[in-house]
Amino acid sequence: MKKEYAKMDAASLHLANKKVVLKLIKHNSQISRSALAKESGLTPPSITRIVDELINVDGLVESLGVGNSSGGRPPMIVKFKNENNYIIGIDLGATYIRGCMVDLNANFISEIQVPTELEKGFTSIVDKVIKMIHKLQSRKEASAKIWGVGIGVAGLVNSKTGIIESSPDFGWTNIDLRKELENHLDLPFFYDNSTRLMALGELKMGAKENQKNFAVINIGYGIASGLVVEGNLLKGFSGFAGEFGHIPVDTDSDVQCKCGMYGCLEALASGHRIASLGKQALAENRSEILKELCMGNAELITAELVARAAKKGDPASMKIYDDVAEYLCKGIGTIANLLNPETVYIGGGISLNGDLLFDLIDQKRDKYLLAGNARVNIQPSTFGDQATSIGAVSVVLNKILNLELSGNMVEI
Ligand SMILES: [Zn+2]
């Protein structure tokens, strides 16, 4: 029994050392074996063994041969093998499904976007995701490897089981998307809430270095947030932290939210709400500009079209965005006063309509911020409409760098 523990400890220690070496190589792009020994504190024979494994077993490192020497033995240079090693990230949104394939340095290799067409139902959506992954796979070299697929979905997603416990945007309850996809594709899949992934992508690849406290707000069909506190993504007791869309911003409101409550931020300021207020303005004949833009067809009115009408000076559309900005500032004030973030990033479809919303937020924000939080930056998310897919990619990259996908636990 004692011997077994000793064996396990040696294996764990080896794995921990291997992770350190892999991260050093990734961080430096290229590094000599002797510099690796110096930076990691491991002995040259240990470095040789670990690097050889990373080259020959894991396929994550390659040897560049002998470098230039300034006297003494020439250095043996190794490099992080980002080429021909790919990750797929999917943003499964209620309006669009976006997919990308990136290399291990997050360089884009290929991107695809298709409309979700919610009304066609679950089977059609699953079919679209499968086709998208096949298409992305077909764009890689035959010898290249896809390490895994990260998928972001709007709603309450159990990242351990991959079950979408509830997604009001899709009208799904306890949907086992993982099972459906794994029946068709032999790849490791990882799931999480789309906004939490936006925050993870911002943390790992976007937000300026050393930024440890920030929020990402996703304003699209619904509203949600991903919160980073002291450098950690906040998950909460059951993994459902960040339901920013359901904080009440007007307790007298008679607008009922999808969650059943009245006056939630999502009910009053989401893309869905903006479009429905635009349709109402058209029906009540209050907007000539909107009527012109949608050619009299209410079905064509989207939040983006209302933004275009507002920019053309339409008073009814301007009022819609003005009210929405007021509610959002109330919500942002709540987050900022509670968590004291350095930055609040705004992503999602509504954030892509230019300066209109950000200018209105700038005018109103200070009303809702305590003096100590007044310096908070409010700005668009770093990756625009790719924010969720970049976050989905980050999940898989984390697993790769922690050697959780190599499947090659080494016997000691
Ligand atoms: Zn609600």
Side-chain angles (χ1 to χ4, degrees), residues 245-246 257-261 264 266:
H246 303 282
C257 182
K258 280 176 288 182
C259 73
M261 296 192 290
C264 289
E266 177 169 301

Side-chain angles (χ1 to χ4, degrees), residues 211-274:
Q211 187 164 257
K212 290 196 161 57
N213 292 282
F214 63 86
V216 176
I217 294 171
N218 183 4
I219 314 168
Y221 195 81
I223 295 183
S225 73
L227 307 169
V228 173
V229 178
E230 305 299 342
N232 294 308
L233 193 58
L234 202 67
K235 289 202 166 176
F237 172 61
S238 315
F240 300 142
E243 285 296 332
F244 175 60
H246 303 282
I247 57 169
V249 288
D250 180 359
T251 47
D252 295 328
S253 174
D254 57 4
V255 180
Q256 191 173 23
C257 182
K258 280 176 288 182
C259 73
M261 296 192 290
Y262 288 85
C264 289
L265 180 62
E266 177 169 301
L268 296 171
S270 64
H272 186 67
R273 173 68 173 166
I274 294 169

Side-chain angles (χ1 to χ4, degrees), residues 91 98 111 113 198 348 351-352 381 383-389:
D91 171 8
R98 295 187 174 94
E111 281 177 87
Q113 173 176 310
M198 274 184 170
S351 70
L352 304 173
S381 72
F383 298 111
D385 61 3
Q386 294 163 338
T388 295
S389 13

